[in-house]
Amino acid sequence: VGCDRSKNLVDICAEKHLQAFVCDALSVPIRSGSCDACISIAVIHHFSTAERRLATIRELARLLRPGGTALIYVWAMEQEYKNQKSKYLKEKNGSKNKEKEMNTGTAQRPLSDQGPDNSSQDSAWSDQLLNGLKDESCGAKPVGEFRLPVHTNRTSFHSQDLLVPWHLKGGTKKKEESVDTVLVPGGSKESQELSPVFHRYYHVFCEGELEATCRSLECVRVQKSYYDQGNWCVILEKL
């Protein structure tokens, strides 16, 4: 059984005759102790405080029966680990869509510089996020009083808390939406049109951070902690 915050993604599952429902990772409507195993892939790094990230793992543990296991993946601050670049960094040079990827409004600059019509709203949202953020460091630049940086795709991270641009492919912008737009290069008329870019919040994890968060819960034990292609991963067992 799958769950996701996005109704559109859940609808895709339904079209493929898969069982899925919409919910919040902080409050999953499933009976406690009813799951043999749970997976959380690329979810927890979207929560903006250490308290909320811990609460998400606690909720995952609640679902497990005693002896049940959970697998957690989060994005790593270290995209180059033990002298090996992650697949994320390697794809910068190997991707066929390199030109498109590198021209989606990803320059690290203040959000207010990215759109003439929505700068104040983006700036306010960035400042609001920062009120609850604590930069756990590991060599990262402290956030301090600054706005959240906007990440440049396929590059190393310079801050643990940042916004990552997502380019909407083949979508239409609704009137009430406030998003940046970029000119996508290409030969076709469609590719020359302005396309919306959404900025999504991420907290990238330093080595040991995910494991330490999990170990702070008395109801689970860490079976394994490892690095996998730019992600920090743990396998938990419910006690």
Side-chain angles (χ1 to χ4, degrees):
V1 178
C3 57
D4 200 281
R5 189 63 169 163
S6 167
K7 181 180 182 300
N8 289 336
L9 291 179
V10 170
D11 287 343
I12 291 172
C13 290
E15 292 170 2
K16 296 182 178 182
H17 307 291
L18 301 172
Q19 296 185 67
F21 59 90
V22 176
C23 82
D24 190 319
L26 288 168
S27 181
V28 181
I30 292 180
R31 187 174 69 250
S32 297
S34 61
C35 297
D36 296 307
C38 298
I39 62 172
S40 174
I41 307 296
V43 173
I44 296 173
H45 56 216
H46 290 299
F47 288 95
S48 61
T49 67
E51 292 76 15
R52 288 167 67 83
R53 293 189 286 272
L54 176 61
T56 309
I57 299 173
R58 183 183 292 112
E59 179 69 356
L60 198 66
R62 179 188 67 80
L63 304 176
L64 293 171
R65 63 164 175 78
T69 55
L71 172 65
I72 300 173
Y73 266 61
V74 295
W75 217 356
M77 176 82 176
E78 301 86 354
Q79 288 299 305
E80 188 168 344
Y81 186 67
K82 294 183 177 178
N83 298 320
Q84 291 290 324
K85 289 186 177 181
S86 68
K87 184 178 178 181
Y88 174 72
L89 292 183
K90 288 179 180 178
E91 286 182 352
K92 177 179 179 180
N93 296 322
S95 174
K96 294 179 181 179
N97 297 319
K98 175 185 174 183
E99 185 180 13
K100 188 172 183 179
E101 289 173 355
M102 299 306 291
N103 286 277
T104 53
T106 59
Q108 291 191 7
R109 49 192 170 146
L111 288 176
S112 57
D113 293 342
Q114 295 190 9
D117 299 324
N118 56 347
S119 59
S120 60
Q121 180 170 341
D122 277 349
S123 175
W125 181 65
S126 177
D127 291 340
Q128 182 179 355
L129 271 177
L130 278 175
N131 289 335
L133 289 177
K134 294 180 180 179
D135 200 32
E136 284 90 357
S137 205
C138 81
K141 296 179 181 178
V143 175
E145 303 259 338
F146 294 57
R147 294 176 185 158
L148 288 173
V150 177
H151 179 60
T152 300
N153 284 339
R154 310 297 175 187
T155 64
S156 298
F157 295 116
H158 302 290
S159 173
Q160 278 195 269
D161 298 288
L162 65 159
L163 300 176
V164 176
W166 284 77
H167 176 233
L168 184 63
K169 297 179 180 178
T172 56
K173 178 182 174 183
K174 298 179 181 179
K175 290 183 179 179
E176 65 271 16
E177 289 180 341
S178 179
V179 297
D180 292 341
T181 57
V182 295
L183 184 62
V184 179
S188 67
K189 180 180 179 181
E190 181 182 358
S191 65
Q192 289 291 339
E193 296 176 356
L194 290 175
S195 300
V197 174
F198 295 86
H199 293 95
R200 194 175 189 187
Y201 170 82
Y202 283 80
H203 170 85
V204 290
F205 281 67
C206 292
E207 182 174 7
E209 182 182 351
L210 176 61
E211 182 178 350
T213 302
C214 293
R215 290 189 186 282
S216 70
L217 295 176
E218 296 182 355
C219 59
V220 298
R221 76 176 182 89
V222 176
Q223 280 189 349
K224 186 178 181 181
S225 177
Y226 60 99
Y227 180 89
D228 180 24
Q229 286 295 338
N231 300 282
W232 287 113
C233 324
V234 296
I235 298 176
L236 304 175
E237 180 185 359
K238 178 72 171 288
L239 299 176

